[in-house]
């Protein structure tokens, strides 16, 4: 029986970027497989942007290796970047140019045989037909994000680096983009590095997470496995009787509690939930609604971001 071997599209080996007073990226190593969507997460200042800039060849590493398709980025920059693209909500295209003009001039960075046909296809995919003659200065934040994403697909890349790609998008457009990215991965084996502060989005899209903090990688695993490392669950009640008693109970048992009107949210270890519910019942505390939420990627992010 033949075993399917999935190759690494990108290998980052002992990568560092040092400045005079600090290490922005400190000896990190990770890989990106063909067709994989990799979440690259961390708090602000963790080293994400510096890493992405090195992966794009914008910043020169202090040390380490970046290899795409088995080739060194440093030695094969032009060949590699022909197959790579990038989009960030925080990157601004020339404001006086129209959407069409921005896509056209971006296309000249790549070897594209029929630019007009390619741009028409991109405009169709990203639903920009009504906007293509408008200047960037006339667009809303969500429309700007969509054009930035469209620009990133102008060369139909094999590797995409996406920094907060759905920020400012309306929910329906964000869902459309999610489905589009998943389809690109499925149909064309596009490999994607994806940064976001929307953990629900990351859990939906990403096969694996690399978590970086203070320039170092502290985790590399699936979203589900990372969530399982957090012990704290959440119980939410709608209290009908016994508000003061519930607060006193939580304080006596060193439970973290937050209150929003009659809604109480208690953080606790999963194994203690049966005892807490039993204790509240014995204290005469009454509630009409209850939900129990196990740890998710948001909990993991909050726990590790504060390290």
């Amino acid at each position: 029986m033949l075993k399917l071997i999935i190759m690494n599209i990108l290998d980052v080996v002992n990568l560092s970027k040092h400045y005079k007073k600090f290490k922005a990226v400190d000896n990190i190593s990770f890989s990106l497989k063909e067709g994989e969507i990799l979440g690259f997460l961390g708090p602000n200042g963790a080293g994400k942007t510096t890493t992405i800039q090195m992966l794009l060849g914008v910043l020169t590493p202090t040390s380490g290796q970046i290899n795409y398709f088995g080739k060194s980025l440093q030695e094969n920059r032009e060949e590699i970047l022909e197959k790579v693209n990038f989009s960030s909500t925080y990157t601004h295209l020339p404001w006086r140019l129209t959407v069409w003009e921005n896509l056209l001039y971006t296309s000249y960075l790549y070897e594209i045989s029929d630019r007009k046909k390619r741009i028409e296809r991109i405009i169709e995919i990203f639903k920009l037909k009504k906007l293509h003659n408008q200047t960037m200065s006339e667009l809303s934040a969500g429309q700007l994000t969509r054009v930035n994403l469209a620009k990133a697909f102008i060369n139909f890349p094999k590797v995409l680096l996406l920094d907060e790609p759905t920020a400012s998008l309306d929910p329906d457009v964000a869902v459309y983009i999610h489905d589009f990215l998943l389809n690109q991965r499925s149909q064309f084996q596009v490999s994607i590095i994806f940064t976001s502060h929307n953990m629900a989005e990351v859990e939906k899209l990403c096969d694996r997470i690399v978590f970086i903090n203070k320039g170092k990688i502290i985790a590399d695993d699936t979203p589900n496995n990372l969530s399982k490392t957090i012990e704290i669950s959440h119980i939410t009640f709608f209290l009908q009787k016994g508000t003061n008693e519930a607060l006193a109970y939580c304080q006596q048992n060193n439970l973290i509690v937050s209150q929003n009107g009659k809604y109480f949210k208690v953080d606790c270890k999963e194994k203690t939930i049966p005892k807490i519910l039993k204790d509240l019942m014995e204290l005469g505390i009454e509630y009409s609604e209850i939900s129990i939420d196990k740890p998710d990627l948001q909990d993991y992010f909050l726990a590790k971001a504060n390290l």
Side-chain angles (χ1 to χ4, degrees), residues 92-99 102 131 133-141 143-144 147:
H92 301 295
L93 296 172
W95 282 66
R96 293 187 179 182
L97 298 184
T98 65
V99 170
N102 268 294
L131 305 176
N133 283 326
Q134 293 188 37
T135 64
M136 302 301 286
S137 61
E138 298 176 284
L139 304 184
S140 69
Q143 291 167 340
L144 289 169
V147 176

Side-chain angles (χ1 to χ4, degrees), residues 195-301:
T195 79
S196 176
H197 285 93
N198 182 336
M199 295 302 106
E201 177 178 69
V202 172
E203 286 182 307
K204 175 182 177 180
L205 293 177
C206 296
D207 305 298
R208 186 164 54 93
I209 303 293
V210 167
F211 197 97
I212 185 172
N213 198 1
K214 298 178 182 177
K216 290 182 175 291
I217 290 177
I218 61 173
D220 183 343
D221 210 332
T222 65
N224 187 47
N225 285 343
L226 293 180
S227 298
K228 288 179 180 178
T229 66
I230 304 299
E231 294 184 335
I232 300 300
S233 295
H234 313 288
I235 316 173
T236 303
F237 308 90
F238 182 81
L239 294 183
Q240 291 184 311
K241 178 184 176 182
T243 300
N244 293 333
E245 291 84 353
L247 279 173
Y249 173 81
C250 291
Q251 291 171 355
Q252 291 166 8
N253 290 275
N254 297 315
L255 296 173
I256 297 174
V257 61
S258 55
Q259 182 181 1
N260 182 9
K262 288 193 174 184
Y263 280 98
F264 270 57
K265 181 179 177 182
V266 179
D267 296 347
C268 61
K269 292 185 178 180
E270 185 177 359
K271 64 182 180 181
T272 68
I273 292 176
K275 181 179 184 304
I276 291 172
L277 296 178
K278 178 176 177 292
D279 290 345
L280 293 179
M281 181 181 67
E282 290 176 350
L283 288 169
I285 296 167
E286 297 179 4
Y287 49 86
S288 59
E289 299 175 25
I290 181 172
S291 65
I292 299 173
D293 300 308
K294 293 185 177 182
D296 56 18
L297 196 60
Q298 179 78 13
D299 295 304
Y300 180 87
F301 185 95

Side-chain angles (χ1 to χ4, degrees), residues 10-284:
L10 169 66
D11 285 296
V12 175
V13 183
N14 303 129
L15 189 67
S16 294
K17 182 62 179 179
H18 299 172
Y19 295 96
K20 287 184 178 180
K21 295 185 178 180
F22 74 103
K23 298 177 181 179
V25 175
D26 190 8
N27 196 38
I28 67 171
S29 298
F30 65 92
S31 62
L32 175 68
K33 293 180 174 60
E34 185 178 15
E36 183 178 38
I37 301 180
L38 175 68
F40 194 58
L41 305 184
N44 292 333
K48 301 190 301 297
T49 300
T50 301
T51 300
I52 288 174
Q53 288 175 340
M54 288 190 284
L55 296 181
L56 289 168
V58 176
L59 277 181
T60 302
T62 302
S63 60
Q65 276 288 320
I66 299 171
N67 297 321
Y68 286 93
F69 320 110
K71 298 180 179 181
S72 166
L73 175 60
Q74 182 178 0
E75 298 172 6
N76 302 273
R77 176 188 173 91
E78 186 174 340
E79 175 189 349
I80 287 170
L81 293 183
E82 186 72 29
K83 304 173 185 176
V84 177
N85 214 321
F86 167 73
S87 176
S88 173
T89 301
Y90 312 107
T91 298
H92 301 295
L93 296 172
W95 282 66
R96 293 187 179 182
L97 298 184
T98 65
V99 170
W100 178 279
E101 289 168 340
N102 268 294
L103 293 174
L104 176 63
Y105 294 133
T106 299
S107 76
Y108 281 101
L109 296 172
Y110 306 96
E111 292 293 333
I112 297 172
S113 57
D114 189 335
R115 299 183 192 282
K116 182 175 182 293
K117 185 176 180 181
R118 177 67 57 86
I119 294 168
E120 288 173 347
R121 176 64 179 140
I122 292 295
I123 283 175
E124 177 188 354
I125 290 172
F126 287 91
K127 301 181 178 180
L128 296 171
K129 183 69 174 176
K130 294 181 180 179
L131 305 176
H132 78 280
N133 283 326
Q134 293 188 37
T135 64
M136 302 301 286
S137 61
E138 298 176 284
L139 304 184
S140 69
Q143 291 167 340
L144 289 169
T145 298
R146 215 167 353 135
V147 176
N148 255 312
L149 269 171
K151 173 192 70 67
F153 277 88
I154 198 71
N155 60 326
F156 291 158
K158 291 297 294 177
V159 179
L160 262 175
L161 308 177
L162 300 179
D163 184 18
E164 301 278 355
T166 60
S168 304
L169 291 180
D170 291 333
D172 60 328
V173 179
V175 169
Y176 172 80
I177 295 300
H178 294 165
D179 293 342
F180 174 73
L181 293 175
L182 290 171
N183 179 66
Q184 289 294 301
R185 184 267 293 279
S186 174
Q187 188 172 356
F188 300 109
Q189 289 295 290
V190 176
S191 304
I192 301 171
I193 293 180
F194 188 95
T195 79
S196 176
H197 285 93
N198 182 336
M199 295 302 106
E201 177 178 69
V202 172
E203 286 182 307
K204 175 182 177 180
L205 293 177
C206 296
D207 305 298
R208 186 164 54 93
I209 303 293
V210 167
F211 197 97
I212 185 172
N213 198 1
K214 298 178 182 177
K216 290 182 175 291
I217 290 177
I218 61 173
D220 183 343
D221 210 332
T222 65
N224 187 47
N225 285 343
L226 293 180
S227 298
K228 288 179 180 178
T229 66
I230 304 299
E231 294 184 335
I232 300 300
S233 295
H234 313 288
I235 316 173
T236 303
F237 308 90
F238 182 81
L239 294 183
Q240 291 184 311
K241 178 184 176 182
T243 300
N244 293 333
E245 291 84 353
L247 279 173
Y249 173 81
C250 291
Q251 291 171 355
Q252 291 166 8
N253 290 275
N254 297 315
L255 296 173
I256 297 174
V257 61
S258 55
Q259 182 181 1
N260 182 9
K262 288 193 174 184
Y263 280 98
F264 270 57
K265 181 179 177 182
V266 179
D267 296 347
C268 61
K269 292 185 178 180
E270 185 177 359
K271 64 182 180 181
T272 68
I273 292 176
K275 181 179 184 304
I276 291 172
L277 296 178
K278 178 176 177 292
D279 290 345
L280 293 179
M281 181 181 67
E282 290 176 350
L283 288 169

